[in-house]
Amino acid sequence: MTNIAIIHTLPLEFYPPVTNFIDFLSKQDDIELSVFSTGNDKNRQIYKNDSIKIYRFNNLGKSILSKGISSVLNSFKILFILLRKKPNILIYYETFSAGRVILPCIFFRKKKLIVINHEYFSNEWYQTTASKSIRFYHKIEQNYLFKKANKISQTNADRRKLFLEDNVGLDGNKMILLPNYPSKNWRGKQIELNSVDILKTVYVGTLSLDYSYVREYCNWVINKKGKVLFDIYSYNLDDKTKSYVKGLNSPYIRIFDKGIEYRKIPVQLEGYHVGLVLYKAITKNFQYNAPNKIFEYLALDLDVWCSDKLITARDYERLDCYPKMIMVDYEKLEEFDVDKAINKEELDYVQSPYVCEPVYKKFLKQILN
């Protein structure tokens, strides 16, 4: 029996890749799993899994001092639980969780340590944008945790390269790839779409006027005068973006600002034709990103229109089969040929290969050996 402890300080509900991984591990007969996280404050449905124990420790108070004291106390609480559990493997997600793994690493020095990254954060980001506490934790990562770690993941090869450039001297053999794919249960029904009277497009996830092409796309949809509809499902958007979309008062654009619970997305997106990826490449994290949305839309047999500014996403372009994954210049939508984009004549249906179970099976083998 392998005893694994996962420390994910940010709320589990906001990070489907970690809950997918937890679901996968909970189905393994020879794995005993404990998970440590916090509660969410955005009224999202609480993630539960009856097969495992999930401990949630919230920081109390709003001042820096009270948060610091609370964080230290929570670290000791986690340590005391792990002293009973005696894990073989410690897994923590990103710098945000590093503070809570320091004590367990000291007490379980001979146990395996695995670091998983949802995103890529550059040295520049840590120096200019990160909070003082995150900068402090990252120093501990670079000077202790990364050296101790048996494996460190990034979501793609481009991000792995950037990570190694930022951490000179780190053993490259520690680095592994762990892409963020949905479960095989997401796979949808094949729909052949050559022409439609009204094209239904959808965007799911965090949305911002500053970081996405939502303004450009909304203008394009309005100019199509009903030939294209656009629905937005986002609970994580700033007031400026929400006010802009609602202020358009367009019959062709709807916004559902309560979003969709992750597990309900497959049902909610039935009937749509195209899923949108609207990110601007304003940071290296975005530029060298193949967003989860690409694989989620494809799994549901939606075509994907992805911003062509996302360099890494180009590796997943699909034009010779359907559902398609098309790179779109959202800065020049007036040149975008919709009829060509949705045309699937003489193309074969190819089910999306991007599902998480084979990835996690390989990853588990890597960390167990």
Side-chain angles (χ1 to χ4, degrees):
M1 178 70 71
T2 301
N3 191 322
I4 297 176
I6 292 179
I7 299 177
H8 191 287
T9 298
L10 298 180
L12 298 172
E13 293 76 22
F14 305 157
Y15 298 89
V18 70
T19 55
N20 285 339
F21 186 44
I22 291 170
D23 287 341
F24 171 82
L25 289 178
S26 69
K27 297 173 184 176
Q28 309 305 308
D29 294 333
D30 55 348
I31 299 291
E32 182 179 344
L33 183 63
S34 303
V35 178
F36 301 86
S37 187
T38 53
N40 76 74
D41 58 357
K42 294 188 177 181
N43 299 317
R44 308 313 296 164
Q45 184 176 334
I46 300 298
Y47 169 78
K48 295 181 180 179
N49 187 315
D50 294 334
S51 301
I52 62 172
K53 180 65 176 177
I54 299 177
Y55 303 88
R56 296 187 185 249
F57 300 102
N58 294 324
N59 287 332
L60 303 177
K62 296 183 179 180
S63 70
I64 295 177
L65 179 61
S66 61
K67 286 182 178 179
I69 294 173
S70 182
S71 179
V72 172
L73 290 175
N74 289 336
S75 296
F76 275 101
K77 291 177 183 177
I78 292 173
L79 174 63
F80 293 149
I81 293 171
L82 292 180
L83 287 172
R84 297 198 313 268
K85 296 285 185 179
K86 295 181 174 59
N88 308 101
I89 299 174
L90 290 170
I91 298 176
Y92 82 88
Y93 280 77
E94 296 191 325
T95 310
F96 301 97
S97 304
R100 292 188 178 182
V101 81
I102 296 169
L103 286 176
C105 281
I106 293 174
F107 277 81
F108 299 100
R109 285 178 295 176
K110 296 183 180 180
K111 306 302 181 182
K112 290 182 179 178
L113 176 65
I114 311 298
V115 183
I116 299 180
N117 291 289
H118 292 300
E119 309 279 354
Y120 162 73
F121 296 104
S122 66
N123 283 340
E124 181 184 3
W125 181 87
Y126 282 110
Q127 294 165 5
T128 61
T129 306
S131 66
K132 290 182 179 179
S133 61
I134 294 300
R135 267 181 262 171
F136 173 70
Y137 293 149
H138 187 54
K139 288 293 184 183
I140 294 175
E141 284 186 310
Q142 290 182 312
N143 294 314
Y144 175 57
L145 296 176
F146 289 165
K147 295 177 181 178
K148 175 178 171 53
N150 297 83
K151 297 292 181 185
I152 303 172
S153 82
Q154 277 290 337
T155 60
N156 61 61
D158 290 330
R159 284 177 166 180
R160 176 176 60 186
K161 180 176 180 293
L162 292 170
F163 185 88
L164 287 171
E165 290 174 355
D166 288 344
N167 296 276
V168 178
L170 184 67
D171 183 0
N173 292 322
K174 292 185 176 185
M175 299 300 300
I176 54 177
L177 299 183
L178 188 62
N180 294 329
Y181 299 156
S183 170
K184 61 185 178 183
N185 297 328
W186 275 51
R187 282 175 168 162
K189 302 174 183 178
Q190 54 178 293
I191 300 173
E192 186 170 356
L193 174 66
N194 288 322
S195 63
V196 292
D197 294 329
I198 299 176
L199 187 69
K200 297 179 180 179
T201 67
V202 64
Y203 178 91
V204 180
T206 301
L207 191 64
S208 166
L209 285 170
D210 296 328
Y211 304 136
S212 76
Y213 290 107
V214 62
R215 188 192 305 273
E216 289 82 353
Y217 190 74
C218 284
N219 290 337
W220 182 77
V221 169
I222 291 171
N223 289 334
K224 289 298 178 181
K225 299 179 180 180
K227 293 183 179 180
V228 179
L229 301 182
F230 178 30
D231 282 352
I232 299 167
Y233 295 88
S234 176
Y235 68 87
N236 190 18
L237 72 168
D238 55 73
D239 292 338
K240 181 174 70 172
T241 305
K242 186 189 300 186
S243 297
Y244 165 76
V245 176
K246 290 188 174 182
L248 292 172
N249 198 27
S250 170
Y252 315 128
I253 300 170
R254 298 186 297 177
I255 184 169
F256 302 90
D257 55 15
K258 292 186 178 179
I260 314 174
E261 295 293 345
Y262 180 73
R263 298 190 181 198
K264 296 180 181 179
I265 289 177
V267 173
Q268 193 68 45
L269 295 197
E270 288 183 1
Y272 289 100
H273 304 123
V274 177
L276 305 170
V277 180
L278 298 172
Y279 295 129
K280 295 179 179 179
I282 58 175
T283 66
K284 286 185 178 180
N285 181 44
F286 282 105
Q287 191 175 10
Y288 297 102
N289 181 23
N292 305 1
K293 294 183 188 62
I294 291 175
F295 311 114
E296 292 164 358
Y297 294 145
L298 286 176
L300 299 176
D301 286 340
L302 276 67
D303 279 1
V304 181
W305 294 355
C306 178
S307 167
D308 67 352
K309 305 303 184 292
L310 306 187
I311 293 174
T312 300
R314 294 174 188 167
D315 295 339
Y316 300 92
E317 191 167 25
R318 289 169 37 127
L319 301 176
D320 57 354
C321 63
Y322 69 93
K324 292 182 179 180
M325 210 294 275
I326 301 173
M327 305 303 291
V328 176
D329 188 346
Y330 285 109
E331 296 177 4
K332 297 180 180 178
L333 281 170
E334 69 279 1
E335 300 177 7
F336 181 53
D337 189 337
V338 180
D339 293 332
K340 180 179 179 181
I342 66 173
N343 183 22
K344 296 176 175 59
E345 292 179 0
E346 300 183 4
L347 295 182
D348 293 326
Y349 168 78
V350 177
Q351 191 176 56
S352 171
Y354 307 116
V355 292
C356 66
E357 285 82 1
V359 172
Y360 291 150
K361 184 177 180 180
K362 177 181 178 182
F363 177 62
L364 184 59
K365 185 177 180 179
Q366 287 175 311
I367 66 177
L368 290 179
N369 290 340

